[in-house]
Amino acid sequence: MPENITSENLLNNIMETLAEGVHKQKSGSFFEEEISNPVVCKLNRLFGRQEPVHKVLGGGKSADVLLWRNKKISAGVIGGATALWFIFEWLNYNFLPLVCFGMALGMLGQFLWSKASGFTNRSSSEIPKIQVPEEWFVNIAVTVGREVNRTLRFLQKIACGGNLKEFVLVVSGLVVSAMIGTWCNFLTVIYIGFVAAHTLPVLYEKYEDEVDGFVENLLGSMTHHYKKIDARVLSKMPTRKYWGKKHE
C-alpha cells in the first residue's frame, strides 16, 4: 500500500523539481552539453530530417519559391497574397463582387477593342481571346489532392510512429493553429499560413543548426522535468484500486 500523500507533500515535490530545473537551466548545463558535442546537433535534425530542406520541400520550382531562390518571384508571390488579403480583409470586398467587377472590366476592354478595330480597319480575329487552359484545373486538382494525402500520411505516421518528440511538436503546432483560428477569420488564417510557408523554411534553412539545437535542448529539458515529476509525484499518487480499498 503506498504511503499517505497529502496536498502539501505533492506541492513541495513539484516545487523542488521546478527549482532544480531552473537552477540547471541557469547554470547552462543543457546548452553546454550541446556546445561541447556539436555532432549531436548535426544529427538530431528537426523531425528526424536527413535530407536538405530544399529536397524535403519537393526540390522543384515550388521549393525554389518557398526558399527564395529567386527573390523577385518570391517577393511577387508574397506581394500578391498581401494585396488580396488587404482587398478582402481591410476593404471588405467579397469574392463574388470582385470576380464580377473583373469580368465586367474585361468585357469592357473587349468591347472597346472590337469597336476600335472597326475604325482602324483591323479584323476581329486580331482581338486577343481570353481562355484558361483546362490542364491548369487538372494540375491544381491533382496537386491539392496529392498534398492533402501527403499531409494525412504524415500525421498518421507521427501518430503511430512512437516518436514522442515528433508527436509533441506536431500536436502543439495543431493546438497553436486552432488557437490562432479562434482569434482570426478563415481568410486571415490562410494568409498567415501562406506567409509562414514563405518565411519560416528560408529562416530555418539559414539558421538550422541554431534551431535544431534549441529544439533539442527544449525537448530534453521537458523530458527531464517530466521524469522528475513522474518519479516524485505521479508515481506516488494513489491508484484507482487503492482509492477503492480506502473507501471500503
Side-chain angles (χ1 to χ4, degrees), residues 40-222:
V40 177
C41 181
K42 292 183 179 180
L43 295 178
N44 294 331
R45 294 301 187 187
L46 198 62
F47 297 111
R49 177 178 58 85
Q50 300 294 334
E51 299 176 342
V53 179
H54 187 269
K55 190 172 182 180
V56 172
L57 296 176
K61 294 182 178 180
S62 59
D64 294 338
V65 175
L66 294 176
L67 296 177
W68 291 69
R69 294 291 190 264
N70 190 323
K71 293 182 173 57
K72 292 183 179 180
I73 296 178
S74 299
V77 171
I78 290 292
T82 303
L84 289 176
W85 176 76
F86 182 80
I87 289 173
F88 288 118
E89 185 67 18
W90 289 93
L91 299 183
N92 294 324
Y93 268 87
N94 293 321
F95 180 73
L96 182 60
L98 188 63
V99 172
C100 292
F101 281 129
M103 295 179 67
L105 291 176
M107 292 181 64
L108 179 61
Q110 291 278 315
F111 176 79
L112 295 177
W113 188 291
S114 63
K115 294 302 180 183
S117 64
F119 294 102
T120 58
N121 297 323
R122 290 184 302 181
S123 62
S124 59
S125 60
E126 296 180 0
I127 300 176
K129 297 186 181 299
I130 301 174
Q131 184 176 358
V132 180
E134 297 180 357
E135 293 79 8
W136 286 15
F137 298 100
V138 176
N139 293 334
I140 291 174
V142 171
T143 302
V144 172
R146 182 172 60 249
E147 294 301 324
V148 169
N149 289 330
R150 186 169 68 172
T151 302
L152 294 176
R153 288 194 300 268
F154 172 76
L155 295 177
Q156 186 176 15
K157 178 181 177 182
I158 295 297
C160 304
N163 192 320
L164 180 60
K165 295 180 181 179
E166 295 180 358
F167 179 78
V168 171
L169 284 175
V170 173
V171 171
S172 301
L174 292 176
V175 172
V176 171
S177 301
M179 294 175 62
I180 295 175
T182 59
W183 301 334
C184 311
N185 56 27
F186 184 66
L187 179 62
T188 302
V189 172
I190 293 179
Y191 175 70
I192 292 174
F194 188 85
V195 174
H198 286 77
T199 53
L200 295 182
V202 65
L203 291 176
Y204 173 70
E205 185 185 40
K206 186 175 181 180
Y207 303 103
E208 58 180 340
D209 290 337
E210 290 82 354
V211 173
D212 292 338
F214 174 77
V215 172
E216 188 69 21
N217 290 327
L218 180 62
L219 293 176
S221 178
M222 292 174 58

